[in-house]
Amino acid sequence: MARLSGIMRVLAAAVLCLPGPGRAQSFGVAGSPVETIEDRDYLRLFTALKSNGIDTYFPTFQYQEVPHASSLGYEIDFMPPCTPGDPAFAALRASGMTLLLPGELLYPDAAALRQLPMDEDPLRQVLSCAGPEHVAAITTYDEAIFNGRPIEDVAAFYARVKAVAPELPVLMVHAPILTDDPTFKTLDQIQRYLKEVTDYSAHADAVGFDIYPVPADLSNLATPVSGGAVVAEDRAVADYLSWLEDAVPARQRLVVLQGFGYADLYESKFLEASFPAEVINAARAPTGKETDLMVSQAISAGAEWVIWWGPSLLKETGSAPWQTILDIAGRSHN
């Protein structure tokens, strides 16, 4: 769900689930501000999220990307070996929260899946610890095409999940089209990439893109239908979902929305030493209006899945756009 190399170039120049057929409306987040989780009190965190209308959580605790990736390391609390009595899983059940599992952590080596005995399968273990009803879905390899994952790995991952839990949705997130990336230098390159997207998407139940368009002059975000031109938040989500509806009609659609500002990716002293104040100020989080615009496009398009990525990069609950995320979720339950 992250796109680091493009973001770095940008700065140098710069689960929420929505209702589909048969689905109850639910909202989710990929991570939460450091202040909400640094004490590892999952029951408090999950209870607070539920009280604000959020009931799906992607357990990522990465709070920094540059100059190096850093995490609180709590992902291990949701990984095997585990028992149902472990605090993270006990809190999950007590609060009624559901998980979106990071599949790349469970199956990092796709080539080893053929030799992995079913009784040692990590997904099977986590489902047993959490309770299947408390696992909403699992993500496959993140931005697989852009990161060089062969389609054979993605196919092996999908087959393994379906062998373990046939009803568990597999979510696939693709890299967006960025105008400053050599991968998307020409329209022919963009079309070749989109053809790969359709091919890879056969090995997932829901398919979508990372969409981080704020601000437009730093994000350099184009869409499959913009002819290589940069677009802003007022059409980015709609463009991607419209293309997905035509290109992969047999799959549910998802979007990953911007739950951070680009400046939040950086360690503060490094950021201040690397960029002038005007660039740092420009690399802001989406405003409430901008976030509402993106979410309304997803709702209007009937997206089955939307994920806000990046709240774990925020230091405090007062950091934008966290309160907006909570407000949107809360309004949906009123």
Side-chain angles (χ1 to χ4, degrees):
M1 298 177 187
R3 186 72 190 284
L4 307 185
S5 57
I7 289 168
M8 291 178 69
R9 285 192 297 276
V10 163
L11 281 178
V15 172
L16 147 81
C17 305
L18 295 175
R23 292 184 59 86
Q25 187 175 52
S26 64
F27 290 77
V29 290
S32 53
V34 172
E35 120 176 280
T36 70
I37 192 57
E38 57 189 344
D39 62 359
R40 235 164 174 159
D41 188 339
Y42 295 111
L43 183 58
R44 186 190 66 190
L45 171 65
F46 293 159
T47 300
L49 291 177
K50 288 285 289 184
S51 71
N52 282 282
I54 293 171
D55 54 27
T56 302
Y57 193 79
F58 184 88
T60 177
F61 304 95
Q62 190 169 349
Y63 61 85
Q64 177 182 295
E65 294 285 2
V66 186
H68 52 78
S70 298
S71 170
L72 295 174
Y74 299 165
E75 292 86 354
I76 195 172
D77 293 344
F78 297 88
M79 295 289 111
C82 60
T83 71
D86 290 346
F89 294 112
L92 187 74
R93 293 189 299 275
S95 65
M97 186 65 67
T98 62
L99 290 178
L100 175 56
L101 295 178
E104 200 156 7
L105 296 183
L106 289 170
Y107 298 132
D109 184 359
L113 289 178
R114 295 183 182 87
Q115 288 75 43
L116 182 63
M118 191 63 74
D119 61 0
E120 298 177 11
D121 186 273
L123 173 58
R124 187 178 182 185
Q125 293 178 53
V126 171
L127 288 170
S128 176
C129 293
E133 68 276 17
H134 290 283
V135 178
I138 184 171
T139 59
T140 187
Y141 301 116
D142 192 39
E143 297 187 346
I145 301 167
F146 182 80
N147 289 319
R149 279 276 186 179
I151 195 169
E152 292 79 11
D153 282 8
V154 175
F157 180 104
Y158 186 68
R160 183 66 180 210
V161 171
K162 294 306 172 181
V164 173
E167 302 303 318
L168 185 65
V170 175
L171 277 54
M172 179 179 291
V173 180
H174 294 288
I177 299 166
L178 299 180
T179 60
D180 69 330
D181 193 303
T183 304
F184 309 111
K185 186 176 181 180
T186 69
L187 292 179
D188 284 345
Q189 286 176 299
I190 291 173
Q191 290 307 311
R192 285 196 295 272
Y193 174 69
L194 293 174
K195 174 59 168 61
E196 285 191 281
V197 167
T198 62
D199 292 341
Y200 274 62
S201 296
H203 306 291
D205 301 304
V207 181
F209 293 85
D210 290 319
I211 302 177
Y212 311 147
V214 177
D217 57 349
L218 296 185
S219 72
N220 290 320
L221 178 72
T223 74
V225 298
S226 71
V230 172
V231 300
E233 75 286 343
D234 61 350
R235 62 172 281 195
V237 173
D239 274 8
Y240 275 98
L241 288 174
S242 175
W243 182 85
L244 284 166
E245 184 174 18
D246 293 334
V248 287
R251 298 293 182 266
Q252 294 181 352
R253 291 169 299 156
L254 69 89
V255 290
V256 181
L257 294 184
Q258 183 177 353
F260 64 99
Y262 285 121
D264 295 320
L265 294 163
Y266 287 73
E267 190 275 326
S268 58
K269 291 182 179 179
F270 182 92
L271 180 69
E272 292 168 2
S274 302
F275 304 103
E278 58 267 27
V279 171
I280 296 173
N281 292 335
R284 59 176 176 78
T287 64
K289 181 179 179 180
E290 289 165 338
T291 301
D292 275 331
L293 271 172
M294 290 186 278
V295 174
S296 65
Q297 290 170 67
I299 294 173
S300 295
E304 288 86 357
W305 299 86
V306 184
I307 302 162
W308 265 300
W309 187 84
S312 62
L313 299 169
L314 308 178
K315 302 292 189 296
E316 302 170 339
T317 56
S319 302
W322 182 245
Q323 191 58 51
T324 298
I325 293 171
L326 297 181
D327 289 345
I328 288 173
R331 288 200 303 267
S332 75
H333 285 258
N334 293 332

